[in-house]
Structure formats: structure tokens, C-alpha cells
């Protein structure tokens, strides 16, 4: 399949107050995503997942690196051209209530992208709002409601309808179910999967929940302290994780098995500060397998898979 998204050396640092240094939020991330693919991005809170998603959409400006979408380098696009490109790329945010203007009714919220981009007449936009509400499983009368009148799952459906309004090819879904009740999460996930098939969508699906990512993703990228430490086909990565951090994350997935044993030594300590990341391999202070080389030398990213199905790992000891 043709590449939809190509990211090369993407980096973002945030300066601290008083010039005391910088926060290394995303550091040299490279990845490639094909059309129709769902790429899951997982990692602990603070690892840079959400920042990566916003950088790819250029909601925040990168410090370095390139993002190519549909063959165009969007990091260099002027504002007018970037606005046109946004019709092809949208975002679903983690908190549906925070991403909806409480002063606007649902019909205005969903029609807003159409108004901004000058799509259709008022009547045509009204009809499109009705169609989008039906697509996401909401009744037509929901158009007259305000965000506070809906449940969390219904508000997320409204956000999904708004993201679909311009018929995008690519959607960044940033923790789209983490703010919802467990009973509602599966409904929203199934809706996203159905929309992927019916609308030919590609997702960058960001989550800290590895079980959710396994369910929706074709490829999984594991982030740690601003870097991707492992990336490969979801089935292969879950069956045979190569990086110690990935192994620790998978070992921590809850399973309804009282006889299951967990390796308590899989990972120790807290996530280091992105203000002062460790030298060498960033995971070495918490890695039970670290050697002297890990503390001094940044590991190269190597392909331990095949050319057709690469499995990239950033670890000295992965093989």
C-alpha cells in the first residue's frame, strides 16, 4: 500500500521558565503509515504520545524533523495551504466535553468545519449534519441539544461526527475512550472500526491501554520518554515483544486468571524526567537487563523482522 504518512526525525522541545533548560517531549521519532492502516501508539503517561499526534497534525510546531502527508511536507506549508490540507486530517480528543463549545448546539458544532471550509449551503449543511448523526448512532433530534445534555459516550459520538464532516482520510484518535465508562468503551471502539471500513479511514490511535490498542491496530509503536523503542505488526509485537519496556507493559496487562504469575522485576522505578533524560538507552535506569553499554551508548534502531514486515527495536540486547 502507498504511504499516507511519513515522519522523519520529528522532535519537539518546550523551554522551561527562566531559561533553566528544555523538556524533551518528542525526540527524533520516525515512522511510516500506509493507507487504510491503524497505527497504535502506546506508552506511559508523559512519554510524548499526545504531543506526537499534535505535531503530526501541526497543531503545535515541531522543533525539528519532517512530516509528509499524501506526499506533501506539511511542516513547511504556509497557513492557507495548511488549512486546505486539514480537510484530509482530523483529530478526536481525549475529553469530549472539553473539546466541545458548551455554548453551541450540536448542529452548529458538527457543521462548524463545513462553515469554516465553505462547504455547501445552509440547507446542505443541515442535511449533512443529520446524515452524520445517523452515521454515529445518534437520533436526529440530538442536533438541537447542548453538550451538557449528553452522556460521555454520546459526546464522543458527536466529536466523531464532527471529525468526519470533511470526509478526511486520516484521523488522530488521542485516547478516545479513556474518559468513558468501561461499558461504553467497546461501543465507541466498534464504531471507530466500522467507520474505518465504511469510510476507508486511517487512524493514528493513541492510548496507554495495550489491550485496546491490540484490538484496533495493525501496527503498534511503543514510546518511552519521547522515543519509539519498538514498532512492528501488532500480532508479532504482542506475541514476541523484543524490547524490555514492551515486555514490561505486556506483563502488566490485567488478565482474569488467578493462577497467572507476573514478573515483579520486569520494570522498576518511575519514569525519568523529560527535562533531563538519562544518557545512553533511556530505559536503562529501569531495565533489569541493562549492561554498561546501555548506560553509555544510545542504541541503534534495528529491524529484527523482514523487509516486507519490519519489526524495529531500539535496544542493544534485543537479539
Amino acid at each position: 500500500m502507498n504511504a499516507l504518512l511519513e515522519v522523519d526525525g520529528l522532535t519537539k522541545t518546550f523551554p522551561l521558565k527562566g531559561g533553566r533548560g528544555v523538556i524533551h517531549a518528542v525526540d527524533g521519532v520516525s515512522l511510516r503509515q500506509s493507507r487504510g492502516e491503524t497505527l497504535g501508539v502506546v506508552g506511559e503517561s508523559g512519554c510524548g504520545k499526545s504531543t506526537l499526534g499534535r505535531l503530526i497534525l501541526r497543531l503545535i510546531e515541531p522543533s525539528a524533523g519532517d512530516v509528509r502527508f499524501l506526499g506533501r511536507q506539511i511542516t513547511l506549508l504556509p497557513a492557507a495551504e495548511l488549512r486546505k490540507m486539514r480537510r484530509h486530517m482530523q483529530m478526536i480528543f481525549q475529553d469530549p466535553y472539553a473539546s466541545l463549545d458548551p455554548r453551541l448546539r450540536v448542529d452548529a458544532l458538527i457543521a462548524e468545519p463545513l462553515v469554516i471550509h465553505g462547504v455547501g449551503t445552509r440547507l446542505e449543511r443541515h442535511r449533512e449534519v443529520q446524515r452524520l448523526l445517523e452515521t454515529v448512532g445518534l437520533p436526529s433530534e440530538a442536533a438541537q441539544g447542548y453538550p451538557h445534555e449528553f452522556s460521555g459516550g454520546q459526546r464522543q459520538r458527536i466529536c466523531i461526527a464532527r471529525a468526519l464532516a470533511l470526509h478526511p482520510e486520516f484521523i488522530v484518535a488521542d485516547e478516545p475512550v479513556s474518559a468513558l465508562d468501561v461499558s461504553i468503551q467497546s461501543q465507541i471502539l466498534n464504531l471507530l472500526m466500522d467507520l474505518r471500513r465504511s469510510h476507508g479511514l486511517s487512524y493514528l490511535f493513541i492510548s496507554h491501554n495495550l489491550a485496546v490498542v491490540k484490538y484496533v491496530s495493525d501496527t503498534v509503536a511503543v514510546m518511552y520518554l519521547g522515543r519509539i523503542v519498538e514498532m512492528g505488526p501488532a500480532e508479532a509485537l504482542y506475541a514476541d515483544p523484543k524490547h524490555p519496556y514492551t515486555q514490561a507493559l505486556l506483563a502488566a496487562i490485567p488478565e482474569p486468571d488467578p493462577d497467572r504469575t507476573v514478573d515483579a522485576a520486569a520494570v522498576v522505578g518511575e519514569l525519568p524526567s523529560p527535562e533531563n533524560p538519562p544518557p545512553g538507552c533511556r530505559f536503562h535506569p529501569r531495565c533489569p537487563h541493562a549492561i554498561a553499554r546501555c548506560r553509555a551508548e544510545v542504541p541503534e534502531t534495528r529491524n529484527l523482522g523482514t523487509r516486507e514486515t519490519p519489526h524495529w527495536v531500539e535496544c542493544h540486547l534485543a537479539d
Side-chain angles (χ1 to χ4, degrees):
M1 292 185 288
N2 298 328
L4 176 74
L5 176 69
E6 295 173 282
V7 176
D8 183 28
L10 197 59
T11 298
K12 180 63 179 179
T13 58
F14 294 99
L16 294 170
K17 291 183 178 180
R20 296 183 291 108
V22 297
I23 296 292
H24 300 269
V26 174
D27 191 5
V29 166
S30 299
L31 55 86
R32 183 180 186 274
Q33 183 172 352
S34 301
R35 290 177 182 268
E37 179 184 19
T38 295
L39 172 60
V41 181
V42 298
E44 294 172 280
S45 297
C47 71
K49 307 185 299 296
S50 295
T51 302
L52 174 63
R54 286 164 170 77
L55 286 171
I56 289 173
L57 296 183
R58 214 177 129 184
L59 296 179
I60 55 178
E61 296 292 333
S63 303
D66 299 321
V67 178
R68 301 186 71 88
F69 181 76
L70 295 173
R72 301 190 66 185
Q73 191 178 78
I74 67 170
T75 47
L76 300 178
L77 288 180
E81 291 297 313
L82 180 61
R83 171 172 288 204
K84 294 179 182 178
M85 185 63 72
R86 293 208 188 282
R87 297 188 62 166
H88 304 282
M89 48 202 307
Q90 292 292 310
M91 188 164 190
I92 301 170
F93 293 92
Q94 177 177 356
D95 186 348
Y97 191 67
S99 62
L100 297 173
D101 189 333
R103 300 167 298 177
L104 297 180
R105 294 188 305 190
V106 168
D107 55 356
L109 289 166
I110 297 177
E112 188 175 24
L114 302 173
V115 174
I116 290 173
H117 289 271
V119 178
T121 64
R122 178 176 295 184
L123 178 59
E124 289 170 337
R125 291 195 291 266
H126 172 76
R127 290 172 177 169
E128 181 64 6
V129 168
Q130 295 297 315
R131 187 192 68 80
L132 288 166
L133 287 172
E134 181 181 356
T135 297
V136 299
L138 289 174
S140 58
E141 53 267 25
Q144 302 305 311
Y146 288 89
H148 72 272
E149 299 176 308
F150 298 91
S151 67
Q154 289 173 324
R155 284 196 287 262
Q156 195 61 290
R157 290 176 188 269
I158 294 168
C159 293
I160 293 171
R162 185 173 60 176
L164 293 174
L166 294 171
H167 305 284
E169 297 180 53
F170 175 66
I171 292 179
V172 174
D174 185 8
E175 300 268 16
V177 297
S178 65
L180 307 178
D181 293 340
V182 174
S183 60
I184 305 299
Q185 290 184 6
S186 61
Q187 297 177 21
I188 299 300
L189 290 174
N190 288 331
L191 172 62
L192 292 172
M193 297 294 286
D194 290 342
L195 292 172
R196 174 189 171 184
R197 289 187 289 267
S198 61
H199 289 66
L201 294 171
S202 303
Y203 293 123
L204 184 78
F205 192 95
I206 298 169
S207 179
H208 66 278
N209 189 326
L210 275 82
V212 167
V213 169
K214 181 181 181 181
Y215 178 69
V216 303
S217 303
D218 302 300
T219 303
V220 175
V222 181
M223 283 194 73
Y224 184 79
L225 214 60
R227 296 184 64 84
I228 290 180
V229 296
E230 184 169 2
M231 182 168 65
E235 185 175 346
L237 187 142
Y238 278 77
D240 186 21
K242 304 295 185 182
H243 196 282
Y245 180 59
T246 309
Q247 295 167 6
L249 289 178
L250 293 177
I253 295 178
E255 291 186 15
D257 182 2
D259 297 323
R260 175 176 177 261
T261 58
V262 178
D263 183 4
V267 62
V268 295
E270 298 293 331
L271 187 72
S273 170
E275 179 184 349
N276 186 26
C281 173
R282 294 191 172 182
F283 187 59
H284 84 257
R286 306 173 69 192
C287 180
H289 311 295
I291 59 176
R293 184 184 181 191
C294 302
R295 301 180 184 93
E297 183 181 336
V298 177
E300 294 182 0
T301 301
R302 295 174 292 158
N303 180 14
L304 301 185
T306 65
R307 182 176 181 180
E308 292 75 21
T309 56
H311 189 148
W312 301 100
V313 185
E314 187 182 86
C315 179
H316 293 303
L317 307 174
D319 56 354

